[in-house]
Amino acid sequence: MCGIAGIYHLETPKPVDPDRVARMCDAIAHRGPDGAGVWTAPGVALGHRRLSIIDLAGSPQPMPAPDGRAMLVFNGEIYNYRELRHELRQHGAQFRTDGDSEVILAAWQRWGPDCVSRLHGMFAFAIYDCDARTLFLARDRLGVKPLFMAPLSDGSLAFGSELKALLAHPLLRREVDPLAVEDYLAWGYVPDTRSMLKGVTKLPAGHTLLLRHGAPMPVPVQYWDVSFSERRKGKPADLEAELLHLMRQAVSSRMVADVPLGAFLSGGVDSSSVVALMAEASAQPVRTCSIGFDDAALDETNYASRIADRYRTDHVSRTVSSDDYEAVDALAAMFDEPFADASALPTWRVCQLARESVTVALSGDGADEALAGYRRQVFLHGEDRMRALMPQALRGPLFGALGAVYPKADWAPRPLRAKTTLLSLAGDSAQGYARALSFAPPELRESLYSPDYLRLRGDYRAEDQMLALMRTAPARSGLDRAQYADLKFWLPGDILTKVDRTSMAVALEAREPLLDHRLIEFAASLPENLRVRGGQGKWLMKHTMRRFLDDDILFRPKQGFVTPIARWFRGPLAGAAGAIADSAALAGTGWFDTRRLATIAEAHRTGRADHSRLLWQLLMLDRSFTVLGIA
């Protein structure tokens, strides 16, 4: 696990200053405190910061191929590298190291761009082919590892693991993309289809990019997608056995490391499943860690302790203050782009705890997206049944009118938020799901914007890309399309961004076994009634794990990391909320109705409404503008 950066001249192979790339790498030194290196050739420079995980002394980067004809910088882990090494040796490849980096180089020299289809793992890497003078960029299938890119005024392309690597380049323009603000307010993050800064892009998950000197900037090529269009047949017992085999395979393959390894343990279904399978595969006690809160309503450590006791793990738990609001500025600096998922804060804290004893930690991320574990997916499944009973021509006007007049109840559990449900039912499945997924729905965003911003935004709406993704998905049903959107849009933009930045901020490698692409492909082929049944999501997984976990672990309501931001904005952060309207960063854009922002802050402070999620969004946007040097 590491950080990478580089510069490639698209037009003519001009010399590249190695100090410039070194500064880009220094900006992401937290990702790799164990080593650093820069390599240059005419028209190209590659930089690397290393966090040693496998072959601790033998795999420094940038890494040349044995014949010197290719050079690699790589962030991530290849879990099938030993099998690939054996196969490549049969084709004449020679290896000087025991790590996975050299296997990528050999795979490139054997299979070219198709090498990525052979790699099982999480990765973002760059390979410079010295003979062809091409630069090959690749990102893993699900987008676990990030890769930012930006064309610069000198004709070069700069790239790096985080935006802060590009910010270290003096030619990077720091101009906000106004459409990214619309995206951010809709989703709570800037999706991979855009960046907060104009001209900066992200290589999409499951894509590669092959650059040549003297050729125009190409379009990324997709090498992997997930399809929900087929339905696997078989008895539930047989499918349970297949799922368990895939989960065991995914967990065991991610337990290979030459450094201390452990797991996050929240006591929920997913992390508990991972820990149970780790314990089954390990001859030594698994190291686990949990974060608890001093607020009993937020604390889950008793469930984590039960799993730790059952599997005799080497468990450590720490209670943190639920009023951990002082870390706001640290979070903004960590993410660069605004990021409004408040669970990033406790995620960072559990990463800090894990790093005290391990360098690698397995997490339970991915099962909700793949196996329909989110409540919003279960609700959509039920709403689609209702949609099928009433034509759109009747349903749209009826439920739309009812939803417009029904009072808003953000404080209530989702099933009791009739306004949200009515407005969802007024549209088709994709429209309903986009509304369920959004942080700030369209009508709320409209009320925040100034006339100048509305003219600037024009006809663009953040939901457009989500609707297009769902409506063109390789899928059969609304549930299929929702899960497809979660895997392709929500997962890389929110969940994986959160885990990557918070773990790498403390030089911890987080691995996600439940995002093994073979498991994802299997899950996508399951009949709907094996994903959602009786109001329960992840049905097949929960029944598969009954031999490992008790029912009150498997079937209790989903909780997740909860941060009490509503209380903060009525207490210690009330002043920060009130100051948002006068923020130099936000007011300076001229894009917001500052009187409206002040009214929202006051309504929340006095308890007349719960605007905590919106206030947190705006606060993180304000702090991000400062980090990006825009204020």
Side-chain angles (χ1 to χ4, degrees):
M1 188 63 63
C2 308
I4 65 173
I7 297 172
Y8 180 80
H9 279 277
L10 286 161
E11 298 171 0
T12 57
K14 302 175 185 176
V16 180
D17 181 358
D19 289 339
R20 182 163 286 178
V21 178
R23 287 193 292 273
M24 294 171 68
C25 289
D26 288 345
I28 53 173
H30 52 279
R31 297 184 73 94
D34 297 331
V38 173
W39 172 85
T40 63
V44 63
L46 303 178
H48 189 260
R49 294 290 315 204
R50 187 180 187 205
L51 176 63
S52 301
I53 302 294
I54 293 174
D55 191 22
L56 303 186
S59 297
Q61 296 186 44
M63 175 179 285
D67 59 11
R69 297 167 68 178
M71 186 68 67
L72 166 78
V73 287
F74 160 51
N75 169 30
E77 299 290 347
I78 306 302
Y79 302 121
N80 65 330
Y81 77 97
R82 289 171 174 166
E83 297 89 335
L84 285 174
R85 180 191 295 271
H86 177 72
E87 180 181 357
L88 288 162
R89 274 192 173 132
Q90 292 180 324
H91 292 295
Q94 297 181 351
F95 297 95
R96 302 157 298 168
T97 72
D98 294 323
D100 53 352
S101 301
E102 198 174 15
V103 171
I104 298 175
L105 277 166
W108 162 261
Q109 293 188 303
R110 175 68 186 172
W111 296 303
D114 290 338
C115 68
V116 288
S117 64
R118 306 289 189 113
L119 305 178
H120 299 173
M122 55 180 183
F123 53 82
F125 64 78
I127 294 178
Y128 183 72
D129 188 306
C130 300
D131 291 340
R133 298 197 304 172
T134 59
L135 182 72
F136 181 67
L137 301 175
R139 190 176 177 200
D140 65 70
R141 294 168 178 82
L142 278 305
V144 179
K145 293 292 102 183
L147 191 62
F148 288 78
M149 308 178 295
L152 303 175
S153 59
D154 64 353
S156 67
L157 179 82
F159 63 89
S161 295
E162 295 182 25
L163 182 54
K164 54 176 56 71
L166 304 186
L167 292 169
H169 198 296
L171 295 183
L172 184 75
R173 288 193 307 156
R174 302 195 182 204
E175 182 181 353
V176 175
D177 181 346
L179 300 187
V181 173
E182 160 80 356
D183 285 341
Y184 168 70
L185 288 176
W187 310 120
Y189 58 89
V190 181
D192 276 4
T193 52
R194 203 177 302 281
S195 169
M196 186 52 68
L197 296 183
K198 278 186 178 179
V200 176
T201 61
K202 303 161 189 171
L203 184 63
H207 283 68
T208 62
L209 190 66
L210 184 61
L211 306 168
R212 300 179 185 277
H213 293 305
M217 182 76 175
V219 175
V221 175
Q222 181 172 269
Y223 68 89
W224 182 85
D225 198 6
V226 59
S227 174
F228 285 81
S229 60
E230 301 297 328
R231 292 289 187 264
R232 190 169 298 238
K233 297 179 180 179
K235 297 178 181 178
D238 294 335
L239 295 174
E240 280 188 25
E242 187 171 357
L243 175 59
L244 181 58
H245 169 72
L246 289 168
M247 291 175 65
R248 281 173 167 153
Q249 183 182 54
V251 168
S252 61
S253 69
R254 284 157 179 78
M255 293 176 66
V256 177
D258 295 332
V259 293
L261 174 143
F264 302 128
L265 179 58
S266 69
V269 174
D270 305 333
S271 67
S272 298
S273 297
V274 168
V275 168
L277 296 178
M278 289 177 73
E280 180 187 63
S282 177
Q284 303 296 324
V286 176
R287 300 182 186 186
T288 57
C289 65
S290 300
I291 285 291
F293 296 95
D294 60 3
D295 184 336
L298 308 177
D299 190 66
E300 290 186 288
T301 51
N302 60 319
Y303 294 104
S305 296
R306 284 176 48 193
I307 301 301
D309 290 343
R310 176 168 179 170
Y311 289 101
R312 302 179 183 275
T313 72
D314 181 3
H315 187 64
V316 59
S317 178
R318 179 172 298 161
T319 299
V320 299
S321 171
S322 58
D323 285 335
D324 197 14
Y325 54 84
E326 294 180 353
V328 170
D329 289 332
L331 285 179
M334 203 178 297
F335 285 86
D336 299 325
E337 293 186 307
F339 189 78
D341 185 340
S343 69
L345 206 160
T347 302
W348 178 38
R349 294 305 188 202
V350 78
C351 288
Q352 289 176 315
L353 177 60
R355 190 62 177 90
E356 293 177 9
S357 57
V358 303
T359 311
V360 177
L362 273 61
S363 82
D365 295 310
D368 288 323
E369 289 80 6
L371 289 150
Y374 286 123
R375 282 174 289 189
R376 62 177 183 257
Q377 296 163 338
V378 176
F379 293 146
L380 174 122
H381 184 62
E383 289 170 355
D384 272 353
R385 293 182 178 182
M386 189 174 295
R387 288 187 181 96
L389 299 175
M390 187 180 297
Q392 171 67 32
L394 176 61
R395 180 167 36 84
L398 174 63
F399 289 123
L402 290 172
V405 299
Y406 203 92
K408 203 167 185 294
D410 288 335
W411 50 268
R414 171 69 195 272
L416 301 180
R417 298 181 201 172
K419 185 180 186 74
T420 301
T421 302
L422 291 168
L423 290 174
S424 178
L425 288 171
D428 64 18
S429 184
Q431 291 169 327
Y433 199 66
R435 176 173 286 274
L437 196 59
S438 66
F439 261 60
E443 60 273 11
L444 176 56
R445 299 198 306 272
E446 296 291 315
S447 74
L448 303 177
Y449 297 143
S450 70
D452 286 344
Y453 179 80
L454 292 172
R455 284 191 292 271
L456 198 61
R457 187 195 61 178
D459 294 333
Y460 178 76
R461 298 296 182 273
E463 287 80 8
D464 293 345
Q465 53 191 320
M466 171 72 78
L467 297 178
L469 191 66
M470 291 184 68
R471 289 167 179 167
T472 60
R476 291 187 177 191
S477 69
L479 179 62
D480 291 346
R481 293 182 174 87
Q483 288 186 250
Y484 184 82
D486 279 331
L487 286 166
K488 304 287 284 189
F489 193 83
W490 166 264
L491 182 72
D494 185 288
I495 304 300
L496 296 179
T497 295
K498 174 180 65 179
V499 175
D500 176 79
R501 302 304 189 277
T502 55
S503 61
M504 294 310 298
V506 297
L508 175 75
E509 177 174 295
R511 297 179 178 177
E512 290 85 5
L514 302 182
L515 283 177
D516 186 293
H517 72 277
R518 293 162 296 184
L519 196 158
I520 296 293
E521 290 166 352
F522 168 79
S525 71
L526 290 173
E528 284 190 49
N529 68 347
L530 295 186
R531 287 176 267 156
V532 176
R533 184 183 295 187
Q536 282 280 338
K538 287 190 293 201
W539 189 90
L540 186 67
M541 178 181 174
K542 290 176 180 178
H543 282 261
T544 300
M545 295 306 296
R546 289 183 97 165
R547 71 193 75 177
F548 297 95
L549 304 171
D550 295 334
D551 280 2
D552 64 337
I553 295 289
L554 291 168
F555 298 103
R556 69 185 176 91
K558 185 176 179 62
Q559 183 170 337
F561 273 152
V562 180
T563 306
I565 54 176
R567 190 178 72 217
W568 291 356
F569 284 123
R570 293 191 179 106
L573 291 183
I580 285 174
D582 299 321
S583 156
L586 298 188
T589 64
W591 295 346
F592 295 95
D593 182 338
T594 55
R595 287 180 297 179
R596 171 68 173 150
L597 299 185
T599 299
I600 287 171
E602 179 62 14
H604 181 87
R605 187 189 65 80
T606 59
R608 297 197 307 272
D610 183 357
H611 292 304
S612 54
R613 291 219 313 174
L614 177 59
L615 290 171
W616 183 260
Q617 268 192 291
L618 294 168
L619 181 64
M620 297 308 293
L621 181 62
D622 171 69
R623 297 294 198 271
S624 175
F625 278 5
T626 301
V627 167
L628 294 173
I630 296 164

